[in-house]
Amino acid sequence: MAYDEHLGARIHEILRDREGVTSKRMFGGIAFMLRGNMACGVVKDDLCLRLGHELGEQALAEPHTRPMDFTGKPMRGFVYVDPEGTKTDDDLRRWVERAVASASTLPPKQGRR
């Protein structure tokens, strides 16, 4: 399954100087991890975000979002943002920073910094 590599490169640019960020193939796309915890990524043409339950519910009230249902069942605390919602660099940065802030509250995975 292909993913929007341009969107992935835009996210990488936002996160490139942040300590503890890595990327890996996940969900048939790419995921950006903070200290071993997924923060955001790209699945097909959509931005996917791990926001946690409360922030995820709030995000679903915003335009261009829907629950992440990669498995056919909505994943709690995960949100898709369609390409309309990430057209500008400011829009993308705003979403990515929310996901990073959420991932920052999680304890590092063992062996990760």
Side-chain angles (χ1 to χ4, degrees):
M1 185 183 322
Y3 68 93
D4 183 341
E5 292 182 18
H6 178 68
L7 180 56
R10 291 173 61 209
I11 295 168
H12 175 76
E13 186 64 25
I14 292 169
L15 297 175
R16 73 175 186 190
D17 295 328
R18 190 175 298 265
E19 191 173 322
V21 173
T22 58
S23 63
K24 70 186 239 182
R25 302 285 262 165
M26 188 182 277
F27 303 123
I30 189 167
F32 293 88
M33 318 292 280
L34 178 63
R35 298 181 335 234
N37 294 295
M38 182 188 164
C40 61
V42 182
V43 176
K44 296 183 183 177
D45 293 332
D46 294 320
L47 172 66
C48 64
L49 306 166
R50 179 182 188 179
L51 298 173
H53 179 65
E54 187 176 324
L55 295 176
E57 289 297 316
Q58 291 172 8
L60 290 173
E62 296 186 43
H64 312 296
T65 62
R66 67 184 189 284
M68 185 173 169
D69 59 354
F70 180 77
T71 63
K73 179 181 175 187
M75 296 173 66
R76 242 180 124 171
F78 288 78
V79 174
Y80 280 136
V81 181
D82 69 37
E84 272 301 303
T86 60
K87 270 188 173 179
T88 71
D89 289 342
D90 286 342
D91 288 338
L92 179 60
R93 180 176 299 281
R94 181 176 57 91
W95 284 118
V96 168
E97 292 297 337
R98 286 163 117 177
V100 167
S102 180
S104 295
T105 67
L106 302 171
K109 300 279 181 159
Q110 259 187 344
R112 309 280 167 85
R113 291 181 185 206

